[in-house]
Amino acid sequence: MFSKASEAMACNCQLMQDTPLLKFPCPRLILLFVLLIRLSQVSSDVDEQLSKSVKDKVLLPCRYNSPHEDESEDRIYWQKHDKVVLSVIAGKLKVWPEYKNRTLYDNTTYSLIILGLVLSDRGTYSCVVQKKERGTYEVKHLALVKLSIKADFSTPNITESGNPSADTKRITCFASGGFPKPRFSWLENGRELPGINTTISQDPESELYTISSQLDFNTTRNHTIKCLIKYGDAHVSEDFTWEKPPEDPPDSKNTLVLFGAGFGAVITVVVIVVIIKCFCKHRSCFRRNEASRETNNSLTFGPEEALAEQTVFL
């Protein structure tokens, strides 16, 4: 079916070439027709898949083994989907504006080299080789190469974001500048933890992704938590370590206050005891003085009182 359709198109093109008013190049029409059929039939059947990073360079192989015939009239096309990257017709190289100054061509292997890759370079490229036979150009080789482009995320940055409760701490993991769309995970000892407030956003111009996620954990034990971001066949990660704080020692100020209060109480008791002893001693002294005074009085005034009594009764 494929060969019959190509032959029919070749015949139609030969007829159109005989028409002086038609300026559309028939080989170009054949090429587009062949590519459409090939891509529609085997859209996922590519000859090679390559993966590169932004700003890298890539070599897209055509993998055509020339039979060492006259190649001066060969036509080679490199296309990305339906847009031409470069063409070589009759030995003359033409590069389309989007790829100028960053495209190289190997005329021995028909390979295409693209420098300074950008995200928009990703896609499926086709290498088409046409040879002239019996006055018409026929497709002799068609190779499809799928190019994937990735942009590396920055090393994740983990920051502490407060304490939702007394024994709970919250941390935030952030990274940007990556492609393709990432997959995010919080891990501890190989076990995935449930994150919160996870957001993945894409810049509409650069197509690069930014990711942010938060995690709450218990502060009463030690933790080693990993923030893991996977994108394509690459990944970046960062670890966060939490050590349970030691038990708070007794407050020295409180100890000093308690000691001072105890010492003051002891001093107070001692003072009271001393006062009581002094009071008792003083009272004892006072009683002895009173007794001594009474004795002295009786000794001094006793005979006179007796004499007085005698005098009164006489």
Side-chain angles (χ1 to χ4, degrees), residues 152-166:
D152 293 323
F153 277 90
S154 59
T155 301
N157 182 31
I158 300 179
T159 57
E160 298 184 17
S161 305
N163 300 77
S165 63

Side-chain angles (χ1 to χ4, degrees), residues 90-103:
K92 294 183 179 181
L93 175 67
K94 180 181 179 181
V95 180
W96 264 246
E98 185 179 349
Y99 294 90
K100 277 188 176 181
N101 302 323
R102 65 187 193 98
T103 303

Side-chain angles (χ1 to χ4, degrees), residues 31 48 51 69-70 90 107 118 121 146 155-156 162 202 246 248 256 258 264 284 287 293 301 311:
L31 173 63
E48 190 162 353
S51 179
E69 299 174 353
D70 183 14
N107 56 10
V118 294
D121 289 331
K146 184 177 181 180
T155 301
Q202 185 181 26
D248 293 334
L256 184 59
L258 292 176
S284 176
R287 285 180 176 178
R293 188 179 297 111
F301 299 104
T311 303

Side-chain angles (χ1 to χ4, degrees), residues 50-60 80 98-99 101-103 112-123 125 147-151 206 208:
L50 300 174
S51 179
K52 294 291 181 179
S53 297
V54 169
K55 299 181 181 180
D56 281 353
K57 66 178 180 179
V58 65
L59 185 147
L60 305 178
K80 177 190 166 188
E98 185 179 349
Y99 294 90
N101 302 323
R102 65 187 193 98
T103 303
L112 172 67
I113 300 174
I114 304 177
L115 308 174
L117 290 171
V118 294
L119 288 177
S120 59
D121 289 331
R122 68 188 187 278
Y125 292 79
L147 175 62
S148 300
I149 305 291
K150 72 175 188 298
S206 66
L208 298 177

Side-chain angles (χ1 to χ4, degrees), residues 270-284:
V270 171
V271 170
I272 293 174
V273 170
V274 170
I275 292 174
I276 291 174
K277 285 185 176 182
C278 290
F279 177 77
C280 293
K281 185 176 181 181
H282 177 74
R283 186 173 182 182
S284 176

Side-chain angles (χ1 to χ4, degrees), residues 25-268:
C26 186
R28 171 69 172 163
L29 184 61
I30 294 176
L31 173 63
L32 291 176
F33 178 75
V34 171
L35 288 177
L36 288 174
I37 293 179
R38 175 71 184 272
L39 291 174
S40 63
Q41 291 180 343
V42 288
S43 58
S44 61
D45 182 18
V46 296
D47 300 291
E48 190 162 353
Q49 297 189 31
L50 300 174
S51 179
K52 294 291 181 179
S53 297
V54 169
K55 299 181 181 180
D56 281 353
K57 66 178 180 179
V58 65
L59 185 147
L60 305 178
C62 186
R63 304 202 181 283
Y64 175 67
N65 297 321
S66 175
H68 302 292
E69 299 174 353
D70 183 14
E71 301 177 0
S72 61
E73 294 186 352
D74 289 355
R75 292 181 173 180
I76 299 95
Y77 296 92
W78 269 103
Q79 290 192 180
K80 177 190 166 188
H81 303 301
D82 60 345
K83 295 182 180 180
V84 180
V85 177
L86 62 78
S87 65
V88 181
I89 299 177
K92 294 183 179 181
L93 175 67
K94 180 181 179 181
V95 180
W96 264 246
E98 185 179 349
Y99 294 90
K100 277 188 176 181
N101 302 323
R102 65 187 193 98
T103 303
L104 302 176
Y105 174 72
D106 187 342
N107 56 10
T108 59
T109 62
Y110 300 165
S111 298
L112 172 67
I113 300 174
I114 304 177
L115 308 174
L117 290 171
V118 294
L119 288 177
S120 59
D121 289 331
R122 68 188 187 278
T124 301
Y125 292 79
S126 56
C127 175
V128 181
V129 179
Q130 294 180 336
K131 284 189 173 291
K132 190 174 184 180
E133 294 184 0
R134 298 184 298 275
T136 60
Y137 282 91
E138 296 184 1
V139 176
K140 293 298 182 180
H141 180 73
L142 175 62
L144 299 178
V145 182
K146 184 177 181 180
L147 175 62
S148 300
I149 305 291
K150 72 175 188 298
D152 293 323
F153 277 90
S154 59
T155 301
N157 182 31
I158 300 179
T159 57
E160 298 184 17
S161 305
N163 300 77
S165 63
D167 294 331
T168 304
K169 181 170 286 293
R170 177 171 295 176
I171 55 177
T172 300
C173 180
F174 175 85
S176 62
F179 188 93
K181 188 175 182 178
R183 302 182 302 279
F184 184 89
S185 301
W186 287 105
L187 300 173
E188 183 173 23
N189 299 324
R191 181 174 63 90
E192 187 166 353
L193 304 175
I196 58 175
N197 303 327
T198 300
T199 58
I200 300 175
S201 59
Q202 185 181 26
D203 185 89
E205 295 184 3
S206 66
E207 300 185 68
L208 298 177
Y209 286 92
T210 297
I211 186 167
S212 175
S213 181
Q214 293 183 322
L215 177 72
D216 291 346
F217 65 90
N218 194 307
T219 59
T220 59
R221 62 183 181 87
N222 297 338
H223 295 274
T224 299
I225 300 171
K226 182 185 294 292
C227 163
L228 176 64
I229 300 173
K230 293 183 178 181
Y231 55 105
D233 57 355
H235 72 275
V236 291
S237 64
E238 185 68 7
D239 291 339
F240 176 85
T241 301
W242 170 262
E243 293 185 358
K244 175 186 174 182
E247 296 293 336
D248 293 334
D251 195 337
S252 58
K253 291 183 178 180
N254 293 337
T255 303
L256 184 59
V257 170
L258 292 176
F259 176 77
F263 183 76
V266 171
I267 294 297
T268 302

